[in-house]
Amino acid sequence: MTTMVQDTAGRTEGGAEIRRHELAAFLRSRRERITPEEVGLPRGARRRTPGLRREEVAQLSAVGVTWYTWLEQARDIQVSVQVLDALARTLMLDASERAHLFQLAAATDPAPTAACEGVSDALRETLRQFEPFPACVQNSRYDILAYNRTYARLMGDLDAIPPEDRNCMLLVHTHPDWRATAVHLEETMRLMAAKLRAAMAGHLTEPAWKMLVKRLQTESPEFRENWERYEVVSARSRTKYFVNRHVGPLTLHHVDLWLRPEQGARMVTFTPVDEESRRRLELLHEIACREAPAVPAA
């Protein structure tokens, strides 16, 4: 029995070591394929390293140079999901590469696209049937998990935004197109910060939530100010006003249709308040169909 326990422990330790070496090799290969110019750094006349230097990756990811060097040396160190997320962004990993990174690190990816729970084929068909009116599926963190073609063009070009950045909180605070579309931007940002604080009460220790708040605090002074107000408000239906770059002003009813008994995943719908908004939504849908014939996936 003792021999069996020791053998099992040895296999476990050996597997972890193999993963560390694979992770180190993977990070080196991704680092070496990115040019300094791609991340806004000068190349310099004496550069011999293909791609980025280790210290450059560390700086761009806001981690210590020594710590990142140990990671590429396959040292036995702990790596948080926040750091893995930062490295994935710095190294410009696509969805498959990002999943591979987290798997090698034996960590769970907190990004919404890693687990689009609750978005079935039937629900996607419902989104399609709701056209020409905009509709999407969001989780309680305001990640956009799925959407129809009209919604994709309501506040810019959602298809052009990386899946990991498709978050309403993040977009309204940092994305120029989304900010330009909102008629009452300051009021909207304050209300959304209050909604996020209320929703976060049941998720205070979850990495994905903490990462979202930290990113918003880093990238948006308006969010930092509103977050410190400690205001809370529950999600509710309301009238929203947009200025769409394709069709002009829109006045829409916003309604949340909850998909679970607890307030979590929901289908967000927008219906026209008046005939002019209805006509303009129909025109926006025609434009969206020409630009994106297929219904977008999450």
Side-chain angles (χ1 to χ4, degrees):
M1 179 66 70
T2 303
T3 303
M4 182 181 296
V5 172
Q6 290 176 342
D7 184 55
T8 301
R11 289 200 303 270
T12 302
E13 182 179 347
E17 183 178 358
I18 291 172
R19 279 203 310 272
R20 290 198 302 271
H21 282 279
E22 284 292 322
L23 175 61
F26 181 66
L27 288 172
R28 285 195 299 271
S29 70
R30 300 303 91 178
R31 170 172 61 83
E32 291 173 355
R33 74 175 183 175
I34 298 176
T35 65
E37 293 84 355
E38 287 180 287
V39 294
L41 295 175
R43 171 168 291 277
R46 299 183 179 181
R47 179 179 292 269
R48 296 179 180 178
T49 303
L52 298 178
R53 300 186 179 99
R54 285 175 175 171
E55 56 267 28
E56 290 170 337
V57 173
Q59 178 184 0
L60 291 168
S61 304
V63 301
V65 176
T66 300
W67 186 92
Y68 179 75
T69 300
W70 287 350
L71 198 58
E72 279 203 9
Q73 291 175 346
R75 301 278 190 98
D76 186 7
I77 58 175
Q78 295 295 318
V79 54
S80 69
V81 294
Q82 291 89 342
V83 168
L84 290 171
D85 178 73
L87 289 174
R89 294 178 187 277
T90 297
L91 298 174
M92 302 179 182
L93 303 186
D94 62 24
S96 298
E97 292 168 335
R98 181 185 174 97
H100 186 62
L101 172 69
F102 276 82
Q103 187 172 19
L104 290 176
T108 301
D109 188 351
T113 51
C116 292
E117 51 184 295
V119 185
S120 63
D121 290 340
L123 187 51
R124 293 184 191 279
E125 178 61 24
T126 301
L127 292 175
R128 179 169 29 242
Q129 291 297 325
F130 203 76
E131 293 176 344
F133 302 150
C136 72
V137 176
Q138 298 178 16
N139 60 18
S140 55
R141 201 172 57 238
Y142 294 87
D143 299 314
I144 303 169
L145 306 181
Y147 52 92
N148 64 17
R149 289 170 291 192
T150 317
Y151 185 88
R153 297 299 181 271
L154 180 61
M155 291 163 281
D157 184 359
L158 190 55
D159 294 335
I161 297 172
E164 62 271 18
D165 291 339
R166 293 175 190 165
N167 176 280
C168 291
M169 294 288 168
L170 185 65
L171 292 170
V172 81
H173 283 93
T174 64
H175 197 282
D177 289 347
W178 278 60
R179 293 169 64 84
T181 303
V183 173
H184 305 295
L185 180 60
E186 291 186 9
E187 177 188 348
T188 298
M189 289 189 294
R190 183 170 178 175
L191 180 62
M192 293 189 73
K195 285 184 176 181
L196 182 62
R197 186 172 284 284
M200 192 171 179
H203 307 273
L204 293 174
T205 62
E206 296 179 24
W209 287 75
K210 293 191 289 186
M211 287 168 57
L212 174 61
V213 171
K214 183 176 181 180
R215 185 176 177 188
L216 285 165
Q217 289 174 323
T218 301
E219 299 184 16
S220 172
E222 295 97 340
F223 179 83
R224 288 198 302 271
E225 178 181 348
N226 289 326
W227 192 247
E228 291 305 313
R229 296 177 185 269
Y230 281 84
E231 296 175 337
V232 293
V233 63
S234 60
R236 61 180 185 268
S237 301
R238 59 196 297 261
T239 301
K240 290 194 173 183
Y241 304 90
F242 302 97
V243 178
N244 181 272
R245 64 187 178 92
H246 294 293
V247 300
L250 293 165
T251 305
L252 308 177
H253 287 305
H254 167 208
V255 177
D256 290 328
L257 305 175
W258 301 100
L259 304 177
R260 297 181 178 180
E262 72 279 8
Q263 290 193 350
R266 62 194 179 277
M267 188 166 81
V268 180
T269 65
F270 294 90
T271 54
V273 170
D274 51 51
E275 284 303 314
E276 184 61 24
S277 293
R278 178 185 294 272
R279 187 188 66 79
R280 290 177 177 179
L281 279 181
E282 291 171 348
L283 176 58
L284 181 61
H285 177 242
E286 293 176 7
I287 295 171
C289 289
R290 290 199 298 268
E291 294 182 352
V295 174

